[in-house]
Amino acid sequence: MGEQRGLPRFAALPVGIVAAVQAAVLTALSGRYGFHRDELYFVASGRRPDWGYVDNPPITPWLARASTAVFGETPAGLRVVATLLGVATVVVVALLAREFGGGRGVQLFSAIATALSTYVLVVSHMLATNSADLLLWSLITLFGLKLLRTGDGRWWLAAGAAAGVGLANKWLVLLLLSGLGIGVAVAGPRRVFRTRWLAAGIGIAVVLAAPVVAWQAAHDWPMLTVAGGISADDGGENRALFVPMQLVLLSPVLVPVWVAGLVRPWRDPGLRWARALTIAYPVVCLELLAVGGKPYYSIPLLLPLVALGAEPVLRWLGRGRPTRRALTGAATAVCVVVSVLIGLPVVPPPALNGVLLAMNKEPGEQVGWPEFAGSVAAAWQRIPAPERDTAVIVAGNYGEAGAIERYGPELGLPQPYSPHMSYADWGPPPDRLVGPVLLVGGFERGSPAARLITGCRPVAKHFTAGGVDNDENGVVLSLCTLTKPWSVAWPRLRQFY
């Protein structure tokens, strides 16, 4: 594809060193704590490959399946793919800095800033849909900016391919595409729309996304139902926290950098072609505020803005007095320490309680799953032996079900069931299982579920190892009775959010 001359050389060695150090640190820490609840769900989904799931497209479960098949079904084995996605993101952001004319120092700064930012640390340590989404948003932005800078319509093919894969991972990529599209329509260069390559790029994206969309359509669009639940339940809180989270989720010390990125193309005539990016970010933010989306959904767009703002910020620091540089260095050091404490498993699990879990609850969801399965096994033993052949374990959410599925067989537990998310599709239990129901958690009083599974008698209570205050700490395990056949009860038990 066409390239205009004049771009600096890619700083392969220094950026490669940053990527290698990043990979080494993430790998060394990947086995600490344990699986996250979402990771347990992705592992379970990967065992049941499909073109879609209730709450996400298939790419992340497929990656979970591949990573565990090659490296072992352990937290460290699963997280190899998360590490690789994080490393690739760092390289792409350095390439974005080069696209804006940044030399060796700017590219190195962009790589380091990306690798050490809080959000990147979180999604590079554990596998999440956001792990792949972060890389895919960065790639789409890189290909889109190459299109705008060079005017070579063939970049539509690369952008379309990345967008198609993005849609097979998370439909939030539509926000990015709309933001960039509006940005180009407003600020140009609009000539990139007047090419046959645009239709070809759209065609590639449609072909790649078609099986995922067809699966969702055939299953009554469950992802839209889940998104509606997120907006209804969390929309107010998401809107209230949206702006503050934009300032802290990447890192407070990087705020002046991405703000400089928003301003730079409007002051530098040589970067007029990049103005669409500066419009895309506020457009995406407004869209998320309108629908009550989570604040971190827009964070991937801040990384290209960091790459765009790096050069003027570094130039400003270079002209400053030693006191300015010293204060900036001290603030950076503090923010890096905070990012590491929040994003990586560097403290003993009991030390998570309090400030760290208040800032990021995800490490708490990586603690205590084997012990949780042990609590379920102890409760299972309370069922008389002759009745266990027809008894059923019903978990309250996909994390609990995933933990029982992962650790239960070695404890003598049968396959668990759950009405939550895609676990509902993997049920119901056979109607021949008419024995006691070991219920993990409970249902709201007066709900349809509470009328179908009744007579619950608590037999145990699980407390998370180390006293970590996560969602499973204090969960009650009860023996209950099913009042209808599973085939009748299951649809009424289903939970989408």
Side-chain angles (χ1 to χ4, degrees):
M1 295 183 185
E3 286 279 348
Q4 290 180 351
R5 295 182 179 181
L7 283 185
R9 293 183 59 183
F10 179 56
L13 179 60
V15 172
I17 291 173
V18 172
V21 172
Q22 177 194 23
V25 171
L26 290 171
T27 300
L29 296 174
S30 63
R32 285 180 59 84
Y33 299 175
F35 289 109
H36 186 276
R37 67 167 57 252
D38 290 355
E39 291 178 317
L40 290 165
Y41 180 46
F42 295 140
V43 169
S45 299
R47 294 195 193 104
R48 304 164 175 91
D50 207 339
W51 282 108
Y53 302 89
V54 166
D55 50 333
N56 54 263
I59 290 293
T60 299
W62 290 355
L63 290 173
R65 174 73 175 265
S67 194
T68 54
V70 175
F71 301 105
E73 198 171 288
T74 64
L78 173 67
R79 290 167 180 166
V80 170
V81 68
T83 296
L84 293 175
L85 291 168
V87 168
T89 299
V90 165
V91 173
V92 172
V93 174
L95 287 170
L96 282 163
R98 173 179 177 265
E99 203 66 24
F100 300 126
R104 183 186 182 92
V106 172
Q107 294 174 42
L108 177 60
F109 172 88
S110 299
I112 294 173
T114 301
L116 291 176
S117 62
T118 306
Y119 182 76
V120 175
L121 286 175
V122 170
V123 302
S124 301
H125 162 65
M126 54 169 270
L127 181 62
T129 54
N130 310 77
S131 306
D133 221 34
L134 186 66
L135 173 60
L136 289 165
W137 278 47
S138 299
L139 281 172
I140 292 169
T141 304
L142 175 63
F143 298 149
L145 289 170
K146 282 183 173 293
L147 169 68
L148 298 179
R149 181 179 63 80
T150 66
D152 186 340
R154 288 174 293 177
W155 283 109
W156 277 116
L157 303 180
V165 176
L167 287 167
N169 180 68
K170 203 166 186 176
W171 287 3
L172 287 175
V173 74
L174 292 171
L175 298 178
L176 171 64
L177 297 176
S178 67
L180 289 173
I182 292 171
V184 175
V186 171
R190 287 181 287 275
R191 68 179 183 277
V192 298
F193 291 141
R194 298 189 292 271
T195 170
R196 67 183 186 277
W197 295 110
L198 171 57
I202 293 173
I204 291 173
V206 168
V207 168
L208 291 173
V212 177
V213 176
W215 189 95
Q216 286 289 322
H219 292 77
D220 296 326
W221 306 99
M223 284 203 332
L224 299 183
T225 303
V226 174
I230 293 174
S231 180
D233 288 5
D234 299 339
E237 180 181 355
N238 290 339
R239 292 183 181 94
L241 293 175
F242 192 88
V243 172
M245 289 296 100
Q246 301 305 296
L247 304 179
V248 302
L249 279 174
L250 205 57
S251 178
V253 77
L254 291 177
V255 173
V257 184
W258 58 258
V259 169
L262 287 170
V263 173
R264 185 182 175 195
W266 302 93
R267 293 182 173 177
D268 184 348
L271 289 172
R272 289 175 59 91
W273 55 269
R275 290 178 180 177
L277 174 63
T278 70
I279 295 173
Y281 173 66
V283 167
V284 170
C285 289
L286 289 173
E287 291 172 339
L288 288 170
L289 284 168
V291 301
K294 295 184 182 296
Y296 63 79
Y297 289 168
S298 59
I299 298 303
L301 254 182
L302 290 180
L303 293 177
L305 291 173
V306 166
L308 181 54
E311 183 169 336
V313 168
L314 290 177
R315 189 166 59 246
W316 176 79
L317 286 173
R319 294 197 304 263
R321 297 178 179 178
T323 303
R324 176 192 293 177
R325 291 194 290 270
L327 290 174
T328 302
T332 300
V334 170
C335 288
V336 167
V337 170
V338 172
S339 292
V340 169
L341 288 173
I342 293 174
L344 295 178
V346 294
V347 301
L352 290 170
N353 288 332
V355 175
L356 290 181
L357 282 187
M359 298 175 73
N360 177 25
K361 71 172 187 176
E362 307 309 336
E365 300 302 322
Q366 302 170 37
V367 175
W369 290 113
E371 294 80 6
F372 172 80
S375 295
V376 175
W380 180 256
Q381 294 300 317
R382 300 289 297 273
I383 301 173
E387 299 180 24
R388 289 179 204 153
D389 287 343
T390 58
V392 175
I393 299 175
V394 175
N397 61 60
Y398 62 59
E400 295 168 350
I404 299 167
E405 183 175 340
R406 170 62 179 82
Y407 298 108
E410 60 198 61
L411 301 172
L413 294 177
Q415 171 68 36
Y417 295 88
S418 175
H420 190 222
M421 297 299 191
S422 280
Y423 263 100
D425 292 336
W426 305 331
D431 281 342
R432 63 177 177 79
L433 300 181
V434 296
V437 177
L438 176 55
L439 182 63
V440 181
F443 301 116
E444 292 183 13
R445 184 174 298 178
S447 67
R451 292 192 293 271
L452 292 164
I453 298 179
T454 63
C456 294
R457 173 173 56 90
V459 294
K461 196 171 188 178
H462 171 74
F463 292 99
T464 305
V468 175
D469 187 19
N470 61 16
D471 286 350
E472 274 53 59
N473 191 40
V475 165
V476 175
L477 310 174
S478 304
L479 290 179
C480 311
T481 302
L482 182 70
T483 62
K484 298 284 186 181
W486 285 112
S487 57
V488 175
W490 200 249
R492 297 171 64 185
L493 297 173
R494 179 161 205 152
Q495 302 172 45
F496 281 99
Y497 179 63

